[in-house]
mmCIF file of all heavy atoms in Angstrom:
data_model
loop_
_atom_site.group_PDB
_atom_site.id
_atom_site.type_symbol
_atom_site.label_atom_id
_atom_site.label_comp_id
_atom_site.label_asym_id
_atom_site.label_seq_id
_atom_site.Cartn_x
_atom_site.Cartn_y
_atom_site.Cartn_z
ATOM 1 N N SER A 142 -23.267 -1.435 -0.345
ATOM 2 C CA SER A 142 -22.990 -0.006 -0.506
ATOM 3 C C SER A 142 -21.525 0.366 -0.272
ATOM 4 O O SER A 142 -20.929 1.105 -1.068
ATOM 5 C CB SER A 142 -23.890 0.821 0.424
ATOM 6 O OG SER A 142 -23.718 0.419 1.773
ATOM 7 N N ARG A 143 -20.896 -0.131 0.805
ATOM 8 C CA ARG A 143 -19.502 0.232 1.097
ATOM 9 C C ARG A 143 -18.558 -0.342 0.045
ATOM 10 O O ARG A 143 -17.589 0.315 -0.369
ATOM 11 C CB ARG A 143 -19.100 -0.263 2.486
ATOM 12 C CG ARG A 143 -19.682 0.542 3.620
ATOM 13 C CD ARG A 143 -19.161 0.067 4.974
ATOM 14 N NE ARG A 143 -17.710 0.172 5.052
ATOM 15 C CZ ARG A 143 -16.905 -0.841 5.377
ATOM 16 N NH1 ARG A 143 -17.406 -2.046 5.623
ATOM 17 N NH2 ARG A 143 -15.607 -0.669 5.436
ATOM 18 N N ALA A 144 -18.822 -1.569 -0.388
ATOM 19 C CA ALA A 144 -17.971 -2.191 -1.404
ATOM 20 C C ALA A 144 -18.086 -1.448 -2.729
ATOM 21 O O ALA A 144 -17.085 -1.230 -3.426
ATOM 22 C CB ALA A 144 -18.353 -3.662 -1.585
ATOM 23 N N VAL A 145 -19.293 -1.035 -3.087
ATOM 24 C CA VAL A 145 -19.512 -0.287 -4.327
ATOM 25 C C VAL A 145 -18.795 1.063 -4.261
ATOM 26 O O VAL A 145 -18.145 1.493 -5.223
ATOM 27 C CB VAL A 145 -21.024 -0.079 -4.576
ATOM 28 C CG1 VAL A 145 -21.249 0.900 -5.736
ATOM 29 C CG2 VAL A 145 -21.699 -1.411 -4.872
ATOM 30 N N GLU A 146 -18.896 1.711 -3.114
ATOM 31 C CA GLU A 146 -18.243 3.010 -2.936
ATOM 32 C C GLU A 146 -16.736 2.902 -3.117
ATOM 33 O O GLU A 146 -16.111 3.735 -3.772
ATOM 34 C CB GLU A 146 -18.566 3.555 -1.537
ATOM 35 C CG GLU A 146 -17.968 4.923 -1.252
ATOM 36 C CD GLU A 146 -18.298 5.415 0.145
ATOM 37 O OE1 GLU A 146 -19.097 4.766 0.842
ATOM 38 O OE2 GLU A 146 -17.743 6.461 0.537
ATOM 39 N N ARG A 147 -16.149 1.857 -2.537
ATOM 40 C CA ARG A 147 -14.697 1.667 -2.667
ATOM 41 C C ARG A 147 -14.316 1.326 -4.104
ATOM 42 O O ARG A 147 -13.323 1.828 -4.635
ATOM 43 C CB ARG A 147 -14.234 0.545 -1.720
ATOM 44 C CG ARG A 147 -12.741 0.215 -1.822
ATOM 45 C CD ARG A 147 -11.870 1.388 -1.480
ATOM 46 N NE ARG A 147 -10.456 1.024 -1.419
ATOM 47 C CZ ARG A 147 -9.483 1.734 -1.979
ATOM 48 N NH1 ARG A 147 -9.758 2.844 -2.650
ATOM 49 N NH2 ARG A 147 -8.224 1.351 -1.873
ATOM 50 N N LEU A 148 -15.118 0.508 -4.748
ATOM 51 C CA LEU A 148 -14.804 0.100 -6.122
ATOM 52 C C LEU A 148 -14.854 1.282 -7.077
ATOM 53 O O LEU A 148 -14.117 1.333 -8.061
ATOM 54 C CB LEU A 148 -15.760 -0.996 -6.579
ATOM 55 C CG LEU A 148 -15.432 -1.683 -7.907
ATOM 56 C CD1 LEU A 148 -14.023 -2.242 -7.906
ATOM 57 C CD2 LEU A 148 -16.433 -2.795 -8.187
ATOM 58 N N LYS A 149 -15.696 2.254 -6.786
ATOM 59 C CA LYS A 149 -15.803 3.437 -7.642
ATOM 60 C C LYS A 149 -14.555 4.311 -7.568
ATOM 61 O O LYS A 149 -14.402 5.241 -8.365
ATOM 62 C CB LYS A 149 -17.046 4.251 -7.268
ATOM 63 C CG LYS A 149 -18.346 3.618 -7.745
ATOM 64 C CD LYS A 149 -19.541 4.500 -7.438
ATOM 65 C CE LYS A 149 -20.819 3.916 -8.012
ATOM 66 N NZ LYS A 149 -22.006 4.760 -7.739
ATOM 67 N N GLU A 150 -13.666 4.010 -6.627
ATOM 68 C CA GLU A 150 -12.406 4.751 -6.516
ATOM 69 C C GLU A 150 -11.307 4.157 -7.407
ATOM 70 O O GLU A 150 -10.197 4.670 -7.448
ATOM 71 C CB GLU A 150 -11.927 4.744 -5.059
ATOM 72 C CG GLU A 150 -12.883 5.450 -4.102
ATOM 73 C CD GLU A 150 -12.447 5.317 -2.651
ATOM 74 O OE1 GLU A 150 -11.404 4.690 -2.398
ATOM 75 O OE2 GLU A 150 -13.161 5.843 -1.777
ATOM 76 N N LEU A 151 -11.637 3.092 -8.124
ATOM 77 C CA LEU A 151 -10.642 2.379 -8.930
ATOM 78 C C LEU A 151 -9.942 3.280 -9.933
ATOM 79 O O LEU A 151 -8.762 3.085 -10.242
ATOM 80 C CB LEU A 151 -11.317 1.215 -9.668
ATOM 81 C CG LEU A 151 -10.409 0.250 -10.430
ATOM 82 C CD1 LEU A 151 -9.469 -0.480 -9.471
ATOM 83 C CD2 LEU A 151 -11.247 -0.762 -11.219
ATOM 84 N N ASN A 152 -10.645 4.276 -10.444
ATOM 85 C CA ASN A 152 -10.064 5.152 -11.466
ATOM 86 C C ASN A 152 -9.823 6.574 -10.966
ATOM 87 O O ASN A 152 -9.667 7.491 -11.768
ATOM 88 C CB ASN A 152 -10.981 5.202 -12.693
ATOM 89 C CG ASN A 152 -11.159 3.840 -13.327
ATOM 90 O OD1 ASN A 152 -10.196 3.109 -13.511
ATOM 91 N ND2 ASN A 152 -12.394 3.474 -13.636
ATOM 92 N N CYS A 153 -9.781 6.744 -9.644
ATOM 93 C CA CYS A 153 -9.578 8.097 -9.128
ATOM 94 C C CYS A 153 -8.142 8.554 -9.400
ATOM 95 O O CYS A 153 -7.257 7.744 -9.683
ATOM 96 C CB CYS A 153 -9.904 8.175 -7.637
ATOM 97 S SG CYS A 153 -8.730 7.327 -6.567
ATOM 98 N N LYS A 154 -7.899 9.848 -9.287
ATOM 99 C CA LYS A 154 -6.612 10.426 -9.666
ATOM 100 C C LYS A 154 -5.445 9.916 -8.841
ATOM 101 O O LYS A 154 -4.300 9.932 -9.306
ATOM 102 C CB LYS A 154 -6.689 11.956 -9.569
ATOM 103 C CG LYS A 154 -7.615 12.588 -10.606
ATOM 104 C CD LYS A 154 -7.610 14.094 -10.485
ATOM 105 C CE LYS A 154 -8.514 14.732 -11.537
ATOM 106 N NZ LYS A 154 -8.522 16.208 -11.422
ATOM 107 N N SER A 155 -5.710 9.477 -7.631
ATOM 108 C CA SER A 155 -4.622 9.020 -6.763
ATOM 109 C C SER A 155 -4.214 7.572 -7.035
ATOM 110 O O SER A 155 -3.191 7.105 -6.530
ATOM 111 C CB SER A 155 -5.023 9.163 -5.288
ATOM 112 O OG SER A 155 -6.149 8.343 -5.001
ATOM 113 N N ILE A 156 -5.007 6.861 -7.824
ATOM 114 C CA ILE A 156 -4.680 5.468 -8.143
ATOM 115 C C ILE A 156 -4.097 5.421 -9.542
ATOM 116 O O ILE A 156 -4.815 5.391 -10.545
ATOM 117 C CB ILE A 156 -5.936 4.573 -8.015
ATOM 118 C CG1 ILE A 156 -6.414 4.571 -6.566
ATOM 119 C CG2 ILE A 156 -5.647 3.156 -8.479
ATOM 120 C CD1 ILE A 156 -7.580 3.660 -6.281
ATOM 121 N N THR A 157 -2.775 5.420 -9.603
ATOM 122 C CA THR A 157 -2.091 5.566 -10.900
ATOM 123 C C THR A 157 -1.134 4.423 -11.220
ATOM 124 O O THR A 157 -0.318 4.546 -12.126
ATOM 125 C CB THR A 157 -1.312 6.891 -10.922
ATOM 126 O OG1 THR A 157 -0.381 6.895 -9.823
ATOM 127 C CG2 THR A 157 -2.248 8.089 -10.799
ATOM 128 N N THR A 158 -1.234 3.337 -10.461
ATOM 129 C CA THR A 158 -0.374 2.180 -10.734
ATOM 130 C C THR A 158 -1.200 0.904 -10.640
ATOM 131 O O THR A 158 -2.229 0.874 -9.955
ATOM 132 C CB THR A 158 0.792 2.085 -9.720
ATOM 133 O OG1 THR A 158 0.267 1.770 -8.422
ATOM 134 C CG2 THR A 158 1.570 3.391 -9.656
ATOM 135 N N PRO A 159 -0.768 -0.166 -11.289
ATOM 136 C CA PRO A 159 -1.473 -1.442 -11.167
ATOM 137 C C PRO A 159 -1.537 -1.922 -9.723
ATOM 138 O O PRO A 159 -2.540 -2.488 -9.290
ATOM 139 C CB PRO A 159 -0.628 -2.393 -12.024
ATOM 140 C CG PRO A 159 0.047 -1.514 -13.014
ATOM 141 C CD PRO A 159 0.339 -0.247 -12.267
ATOM 142 N N LEU A 160 -0.463 -1.700 -8.968
ATOM 143 C CA LEU A 160 -0.422 -2.126 -7.576
ATOM 144 C C LEU A 160 -1.515 -1.431 -6.769
ATOM 145 O O LEU A 160 -2.186 -2.062 -5.945
ATOM 146 C CB LEU A 160 0.953 -1.813 -6.981
ATOM 147 C CG LEU A 160 1.446 -2.689 -5.828
ATOM 148 C CD1 LEU A 160 1.431 -4.170 -6.210
ATOM 149 C CD2 LEU A 160 2.831 -2.260 -5.397
ATOM 150 N N ALA A 161 -1.710 -0.155 -7.006
ATOM 151 C CA ALA A 161 -2.750 0.593 -6.289
ATOM 152 C C ALA A 161 -4.140 0.101 -6.684
ATOM 153 O O ALA A 161 -5.050 0.021 -5.845
ATOM 154 C CB ALA A 161 -2.615 2.085 -6.584
ATOM 155 N N LYS A 162 -4.321 -0.238 -7.949
ATOM 156 C CA LYS A 162 -5.613 -0.759 -8.396
ATOM 157 C C LYS A 162 -5.887 -2.130 -7.778
ATOM 158 O O LYS A 162 -7.017 -2.432 -7.373
ATOM 159 C CB LYS A 162 -5.653 -0.847 -9.925
ATOM 160 C CG LYS A 162 -5.796 0.510 -10.626
ATOM 161 C CD LYS A 162 -5.839 0.337 -12.131
ATOM 162 C CE LYS A 162 -5.996 1.675 -12.845
ATOM 163 N NZ LYS A 162 -7.355 2.236 -12.722
ATOM 164 N N LEU A 163 -4.857 -2.970 -7.689
ATOM 165 C CA LEU A 163 -5.021 -4.286 -7.073
ATOM 166 C C LEU A 163 -5.366 -4.147 -5.594
ATOM 167 O O LEU A 163 -6.174 -4.917 -5.065
ATOM 168 C CB LEU A 163 -3.746 -5.111 -7.240
ATOM 169 C CG LEU A 163 -3.439 -5.612 -8.651
ATOM 170 C CD1 LEU A 163 -2.088 -6.332 -8.674
ATOM 171 C CD2 LEU A 163 -4.530 -6.540 -9.170
ATOM 172 N N CYS A 164 -4.775 -3.165 -4.921
ATOM 173 C CA CYS A 164 -5.097 -2.910 -3.516
ATOM 174 C C CYS A 164 -6.558 -2.485 -3.370
ATOM 175 O O CYS A 164 -7.232 -2.866 -2.408
ATOM 176 C CB CYS A 164 -4.180 -1.839 -2.941
ATOM 177 S SG CYS A 164 -2.491 -2.414 -2.597
ATOM 178 N N CYS A 165 -7.039 -1.708 -4.322
ATOM 179 C CA CYS A 165 -8.445 -1.299 -4.319
ATOM 180 C C CYS A 165 -9.351 -2.523 -4.433
ATOM 181 O O CYS A 165 -10.325 -2.663 -3.689
ATOM 182 C CB CYS A 165 -8.707 -0.318 -5.455
ATOM 183 S SG CYS A 165 -10.435 0.244 -5.575
ATOM 184 N N LEU A 166 -9.031 -3.412 -5.352
ATOM 185 C CA LEU A 166 -9.825 -4.632 -5.527
ATOM 186 C C LEU A 166 -9.746 -5.515 -4.278
ATOM 187 O O LEU A 166 -10.734 -6.148 -3.895
ATOM 188 C CB LEU A 166 -9.335 -5.412 -6.750
ATOM 189 C CG LEU A 166 -9.504 -4.722 -8.107
ATOM 190 C CD1 LEU A 166 -8.929 -5.597 -9.216
ATOM 191 C CD2 LEU A 166 -10.971 -4.413 -8.372
ATOM 192 N N TYR A 167 -8.577 -5.534 -3.657
ATOM 193 C CA TYR A 167 -8.404 -6.304 -2.416
ATOM 194 C C TYR A 167 -9.336 -5.747 -1.330
ATOM 195 O O TYR A 167 -10.006 -6.512 -0.623
ATOM 196 C CB TYR A 167 -6.957 -6.232 -1.967
ATOM 197 C CG TYR A 167 -6.676 -6.939 -0.659
ATOM 198 C CD1 TYR A 167 -6.387 -8.303 -0.639
ATOM 199 C CD2 TYR A 167 -6.698 -6.248 0.555
ATOM 200 C CE1 TYR A 167 -6.137 -8.965 0.557
ATOM 201 C CE2 TYR A 167 -6.451 -6.895 1.751
ATOM 202 C CZ TYR A 167 -6.173 -8.252 1.746
ATOM 203 O OH TYR A 167 -5.936 -8.899 2.935
ATOM 204 N N ASP A 168 -9.356 -4.423 -1.211
ATOM 205 C CA ASP A 168 -10.225 -3.789 -0.216
ATOM 206 C C ASP A 168 -11.686 -4.137 -0.461
ATOM 207 O O ASP A 168 -12.443 -4.393 0.480
ATOM 208 C CB ASP A 168 -10.057 -2.269 -0.261
ATOM 209 C CG ASP A 168 -8.721 -1.818 0.307
ATOM 210 O OD1 ASP A 168 -8.061 -2.625 0.993
ATOM 211 O OD2 ASP A 168 -8.347 -0.656 0.053
ATOM 212 N N VAL A 169 -12.080 -4.141 -1.731
ATOM 213 C CA VAL A 169 -13.471 -4.452 -2.083
ATOM 214 C C VAL A 169 -13.840 -5.850 -1.599
ATOM 215 O O VAL A 169 -14.899 -6.054 -0.987
ATOM 216 C CB VAL A 169 -13.692 -4.336 -3.613
ATOM 217 C CG1 VAL A 169 -15.053 -4.910 -4.007
ATOM 218 C CG2 VAL A 169 -13.581 -2.883 -4.047
ATOM 219 N N GLN A 170 -12.960 -6.805 -1.851
ATOM 220 C CA GLN A 170 -13.267 -8.171 -1.423
ATOM 221 C C GLN A 170 -13.280 -8.291 0.098
ATOM 222 O O GLN A 170 -14.106 -9.020 0.658
ATOM 223 C CB GLN A 170 -12.274 -9.169 -2.012
ATOM 224 C CG GLN A 170 -12.605 -10.606 -1.649
ATOM 225 C CD GLN A 170 -11.954 -11.611 -2.568
ATOM 226 O OE1 GLN A 170 -11.906 -11.420 -3.778
ATOM 227 N NE2 GLN A 170 -11.454 -12.685 -2.000
ATOM 228 N N GLU A 171 -12.381 -7.586 0.761
ATOM 229 C CA GLU A 171 -12.375 -7.599 2.227
ATOM 230 C C GLU A 171 -13.671 -7.014 2.784
ATOM 231 O O GLU A 171 -14.244 -7.524 3.752
ATOM 232 C CB GLU A 171 -11.174 -6.802 2.754
ATOM 233 C CG GLU A 171 -9.834 -7.470 2.532
ATOM 234 C CD GLU A 171 -9.680 -8.727 3.374
ATOM 235 O OE1 GLU A 171 -9.602 -8.612 4.602
ATOM 236 O OE2 GLU A 171 -9.651 -9.834 2.784
ATOM 237 N N ILE A 172 -14.135 -5.929 2.166
ATOM 238 C CA ILE A 172 -15.399 -5.298 2.596
ATOM 239 C C ILE A 172 -16.564 -6.246 2.362
ATOM 240 O O ILE A 172 -17.464 -6.377 3.208
ATOM 241 C CB ILE A 172 -15.622 -3.966 1.843
ATOM 242 C CG1 ILE A 172 -14.578 -2.932 2.273
ATOM 243 C CG2 ILE A 172 -17.028 -3.423 2.112
ATOM 244 C CD1 ILE A 172 -14.572 -1.675 1.428
ATOM 245 N N ILE A 173 -16.556 -6.911 1.217
ATOM 246 C CA ILE A 173 -17.619 -7.870 0.906
ATOM 247 C C ILE A 173 -17.665 -8.975 1.965
ATOM 248 O O ILE A 173 -18.721 -9.274 2.523
ATOM 249 C CB ILE A 173 -17.402 -8.487 -0.487
ATOM 250 C CG1 ILE A 173 -17.685 -7.454 -1.582
ATOM 251 C CG2 ILE A 173 -18.308 -9.704 -0.685
ATOM 252 C CD1 ILE A 173 -17.343 -7.926 -2.982
ATOM 253 N N THR A 174 -16.517 -9.551 2.246
ATOM 254 C CA THR A 174 -16.450 -10.648 3.222
ATOM 255 C C THR A 174 -16.898 -10.194 4.600
ATOM 256 O O THR A 174 -17.669 -10.881 5.278
ATOM 257 C CB THR A 174 -15.014 -11.201 3.301
ATOM 258 O OG1 THR A 174 -14.601 -11.624 2.000
ATOM 259 C CG2 THR A 174 -14.938 -12.377 4.254
ATOM 260 N N ALA A 175 -16.412 -9.003 5.010
ATOM 261 C CA ALA A 175 -16.776 -8.473 6.325
ATOM 262 C C ALA A 175 -18.269 -8.157 6.398
ATOM 263 O O ALA A 175 -18.914 -8.393 7.431
ATOM 264 C CB ALA A 175 -15.965 -7.225 6.637
ATOM 265 N N SER A 176 -18.822 -7.635 5.312
ATOM 266 C CA SER A 176 -20.244 -7.280 5.291
ATOM 267 C C SER A 176 -21.123 -8.506 5.410
ATOM 268 O O SER A 176 -22.109 -8.524 6.157
ATOM 269 C CB SER A 176 -20.584 -6.525 4.006
ATOM 270 O OG SER A 176 -19.868 -5.318 3.926
#
Side-chain angles (χ1 to χ4, degrees):
S142 57
R143 285 184 59 234
V145 170
E146 182 181 353
R147 177 61 173 134
L148 189 55
K149 285 184 176 180
E150 297 175 1
L151 187 63
N152 299 315
C153 70
K154 292 182 179 180
S155 62
I156 296 184
T157 58
T158 68
L160 207 55
K162 286 180 179 286
L163 289 176
C164 285
C165 179
L166 296 178
Y167 177 86
D168 288 344
V169 169
Q170 183 160 319
E171 289 292 292
I172 292 170
I173 289 173
T174 303
S176 298

